[in-house]
Amino acid sequence: MMLEHLFPALSWLKNYSRVQFSQDATAAFIVTMLLIPQSLAYAMLAGVPPEVGLYSSILPLVLYAVFGTSTSLSVGPVAVASLMTATSLAAIAEQGSASYLTGAITLALLSGVMLVIMGVMKLGMVTNLLSHSVISGFISASGIIIALSQLKHIFGIQAHGDNVVTQILSMLESIGDFKPVTFVVGVSVVLFLLLARRYAKRFFLMLKVPEASAASLAKTAPIVGVLSSLGIVYAFDLQAHGVAITGTIPAGLPHLSLSLPSLELVKSLALPALMISIIGYVESISVGKTLGAKRREKVKPNQELIGLGAANIASGVSGGFPVTGGFSRSVVNFDAGAVTQLAGVMTAIGIMIASLVLTPVLFFLPKATLAATIIVAVTTLIDFSILKKTWSFSRSDFYAVLATIIVTLLFGVEVGVASGVGLSILLHLSRTSRPHVAEVGLIEGTEHFRNVKRYEVKTSPNLLCLRPDESLFFVNAAFLEDYIIDSINKRQEITHVVIQCSAVNEIDFSALEMLESLNNQLLTLGIKLSLSEVKGPVMDHLECSGFLQHLSGRVYLSQYQAFKDIEGETNSNIK
């Protein structure tokens, strides 16, 4: 059991069957067809040589298969992580230089080490610090930046920039170098991929291909686009007409090496590596959980940190750049019938063969084709429906999403990530600092208490019953105290205050001090403070602190018991 906990692969290897092998092999073949053009395209997006994209898709798949817990997740280069890699390295090295590649490798290693440390420290809950709506806004904005960054390859011009403003201005400056033939090649591939996305499945169904296989085969359209455009460029010598090609891609496998980066480089890339780690993990765990739910398999967040960390370390050791679980290839892997991570290992073998055999064939591959592949791929990331949803559901979420999108578009992904994290934390603190507090009353004929503003309930003029719908800690302690004092100032007849603690799961020292202060303030006014429905862990803290010894009222098992007891006491005093 301990070994299976450390190496989740052992849990499925011990019962592996021929049927599973056949399913995994089929999925691996299809995913390999998708991953080859994706790896080359995302390498171009990250600013590293094309073969580095292939290297980043070999050993990381194997290491994730050993340490990961999702049977469907396919690890490798992805759009957002590739863009963040290029943005992080732009300030420290020039694309194409040895120091740039060293920086990319260092990012992968740092990201891997950080993820493994977080996994060992069981920090899988880090995803809870990021609002889903804010992350959706960031990814949508990143998709726009990525698509814009690839237009230069479609137009055949030179451009740069890490935000929409600098990108557009840069393209306008170079628009005089526009190359019509390159534009035709790029737009043709874009249209082909968009049409394939819509009609390819129908085409395969017409050929009597089973529906599940047809859906998977339809996703391999990029390889058809690559081979077709490559053949056209070669046949008509379009290179002579200004169509940029990838050129020589060295054949062979990655050389495994581990050289420690300089301390100065580590300092420069530590924060970008952390951002890439967090965003990559959030994207990966989301995909893993979504696909896992369809098979009722449990994806373990802390182990996923270790699995992704190992994959990134493997990428760095084999000369690659940061990787994570990709949505499109994982869905293809799932739809194609992969049942274990051996499909990932087989995919890695397929990429190895491609690195050894196919790279000479890719000499005439147009860069516009790779750009088109990226543009079509990232269109699935752009989803502004989140703005409409949050506007109708929560205005605070809407403004946070809108701010994240605007900041990312105007200032780039690094600032966008930081603002997204900051806004997520601010949203959480804003909500918990002003928790919903309901005055409750008894629904007659029952023992249930509900909000007096929503139900017809019985109340007592001398009794104030409040239910804070949040744990009590330093952020909201003062708010609750002020709320209670304001309430009794408006109603001079109050002699008892009961706090219904059914929603209070935790209490910290600041909240304890607030309760002690509140108890003393109410006591000077001749008002007793009582608690009801206190949960065990909270009661333990109150008992060990000595607070209960000084409590002016009592701790009641139920709110009904408190209401009846205090109501009876009040009536007897009146008599």
Side-chain angles (χ1 to χ4, degrees):
M1 291 296 293
M2 179 60 72
L3 282 176
E4 286 186 13
H5 178 73
L6 294 174
F7 306 103
L10 295 176
S11 62
W12 52 263
L13 270 175
K14 62 184 180 183
N15 298 315
Y16 199 70
S17 65
R18 289 184 178 179
V19 174
Q20 289 175 313
F21 179 84
S22 176
Q23 292 173 307
D24 285 339
T26 302
F29 175 78
I30 294 173
V31 174
T32 300
M33 293 299 99
L34 173 67
L35 198 51
I36 291 172
Q38 273 195 357
S39 299
L40 297 171
Y42 292 143
M44 184 173 73
L45 176 59
V48 295
E51 68 272 14
V52 175
L54 296 174
Y55 299 164
S56 302
S57 303
I58 299 175
L59 202 55
L61 279 165
V62 178
L63 267 289
Y64 179 81
V66 175
F67 294 101
T69 59
S70 170
T71 58
S72 305
L73 196 68
S74 182
V75 173
V78 299
V80 176
S82 299
L83 175 64
M84 294 178 72
T85 297
T87 303
S88 303
L89 297 176
I92 65 171
E94 184 179 350
Q95 283 193 13
S97 65
S99 57
Y100 188 94
L101 181 57
T102 300
I105 293 170
T106 302
L107 272 177
L109 291 172
L110 287 174
S111 180
V113 171
M114 289 175 179
L115 287 165
V116 170
I117 291 174
M118 286 192 284
V120 171
M121 296 178 67
K122 301 189 183 304
L123 296 179
M125 53 74 180
V126 70
T127 55
N128 299 331
L129 298 177
L130 295 170
S131 159
H132 171 72
S133 54
V134 167
I135 287 298
S136 296
F138 166 74
I139 290 177
S140 293
S142 298
I144 293 173
I145 293 174
I146 291 169
L148 277 175
S149 72
Q150 297 309 297
L151 288 180
K152 62 184 179 184
H153 298 295
I154 301 291
F155 294 151
I157 62 177
Q158 296 295 319
H160 62 274
D162 58 0
N163 59 68
V164 294
V165 176
T166 55
Q167 285 178 343
I168 292 173
L169 291 176
S170 179
M171 282 190 286
L172 290 175
E173 290 175 0
S174 305
I175 201 66
D177 298 326
F178 174 76
K179 296 178 177 61
V181 179
T182 301
F183 180 75
V184 170
V185 171
V187 171
S188 298
V189 177
V190 169
L191 291 175
F192 167 75
L193 293 176
L194 290 175
L195 290 171
R197 178 184 289 176
R198 186 165 185 176
Y199 297 111
K201 181 180 176 180
R202 297 183 195 178
F203 172 76
F204 286 115
L205 289 174
M206 288 173 56
L207 298 178
K208 307 300 182 182
V209 176
E211 185 170 355
S213 300
S216 300
L217 288 170
K219 301 286 179 62
T220 62
I223 199 71
V224 178
V226 164
L227 295 176
S228 300
S229 60
L230 187 154
I232 290 172
V233 169
Y234 175 75
F236 296 97
D237 191 23
L238 296 186
Q239 185 183 0
H241 296 275
V243 175
I245 59 174
T246 56
T248 302
I249 301 177
L253 299 178
H255 298 287
L256 304 184
S257 63
L258 179 61
S259 55
L260 296 178
S262 66
L263 184 60
E264 183 180 348
L265 185 60
V266 170
K267 288 180 179 179
S268 301
L269 297 179
L271 184 57
L274 179 61
M275 292 180 176
I276 291 172
S277 300
I278 293 174
I279 295 299
Y281 174 65
V282 170
E283 182 178 356
S284 181
I285 196 70
S286 298
V287 176
K289 283 185 174 181
T290 300
L291 297 179
K294 295 181 179 181
R295 289 181 177 166
R296 298 187 178 182
E297 68 179 19
K298 183 175 178 58
V299 176
K300 301 175 182 177
N302 294 318
Q303 187 62 35
E304 282 299 289
L305 283 167
I306 294 175
L308 283 178
N312 274 280
I313 292 173
S315 183
V317 169
S318 55
F321 57 100
V323 297
T324 191
F327 177 75
S328 58
R329 73 175 68 101
S330 296
V331 171
V332 171
N333 196 39
F334 179 89
D335 290 341
V339 289
T340 74
Q341 270 298 331
L342 193 61
V345 176
M346 294 180 190
T347 301
I349 294 172
I351 301 296
M352 288 173 62
I353 295 171
S355 299
L356 289 168
V357 177
L358 295 182
T359 48
V361 180
L362 299 173
F363 180 89
F364 289 98
L365 176 61
K367 290 186 177 180
T369 296
L370 296 179
T373 302
I374 294 173
I375 290 171
V376 173
V378 299
T379 56
T380 59
L381 301 179
I382 303 171
D383 178 19
F384 289 124
S385 65
I386 191 69
L387 290 171
K388 181 180 179 181
K389 294 174 183 175
T390 52
W391 175 261
S392 58
F393 182 78
S394 168
R395 295 298 166 86
S396 60
D397 274 320
F398 169 79
Y399 291 123
V401 173
L402 183 62
T404 302
I405 291 173
I406 292 173
V407 169
T408 304
L409 290 177
L410 295 181
F411 300 101
V413 291
E414 286 193 345
V415 179
V417 172
S419 67
V421 173
L423 286 170
S424 296
I425 295 173
L426 285 175
L427 270 177
H428 173 70
L429 292 177
S430 174
R431 287 167 180 159
T432 54
S433 65
R434 298 180 61 84
H436 178 258
V437 179
E439 181 178 351
V440 296
L442 176 65
I443 297 179
E444 294 202 70
T446 74
E447 296 184 5
H448 297 290
F449 284 76
R450 293 293 185 269
N451 193 328
V452 297
K453 295 180 180 179
R454 295 177 179 269
Y455 295 86
E456 291 289 335
V457 295
K458 178 183 178 182
T459 60
S460 173
N462 304 102
L463 174 60
L464 176 64
C465 298
L466 296 176
R467 187 195 67 222
D469 294 329
E470 182 62 72
S471 293
L472 302 180
F473 59 113
F474 69 96
V475 175
N476 58 28
F479 174 81
L480 180 61
E481 182 180 17
D482 292 341
Y483 189 97
I484 293 173
I485 295 300
D486 288 344
S487 297
I488 63 174
N489 286 340
K490 295 174 184 176
R491 292 163 52 182
Q492 300 296 324
E493 69 276 14
I494 292 175
T495 58
H496 289 80
V497 174
V498 179
I499 301 177
Q500 183 181 350
C501 300
S502 54
V504 179
N505 298 316
E506 290 184 80
I507 184 168
D508 72 355
F509 188 74
S510 297
L512 175 65
E513 287 190 321
M514 179 275 292
L515 289 176
E516 290 176 342
S517 172
L518 179 64
N519 183 59
N520 292 332
Q521 290 182 69
L522 295 181
L523 196 58
T524 60
L525 298 173
I527 300 173
K528 291 184 178 180
L529 174 66
S530 297
L531 308 176
S532 72
E533 301 185 15
V534 182
K535 296 182 178 179
V538 176
M539 181 66 81
D540 292 340
H541 284 297
L542 296 178
E543 286 177 342
C544 70
S545 68
F547 168 73
L548 298 181
Q549 298 173 12
H550 306 289
L551 184 64
S552 57
R554 291 176 51 190
V555 177
Y556 292 95
L557 182 63
S558 69
Q559 182 66 23
Y560 180 78
Q561 183 185 41
F563 184 85
K564 285 299 182 183
D565 188 35
I566 295 172
E567 185 183 43
E569 178 187 326
T570 303
N571 291 338
S572 63
N573 289 337
I574 293 174
K575 293 177 181 178

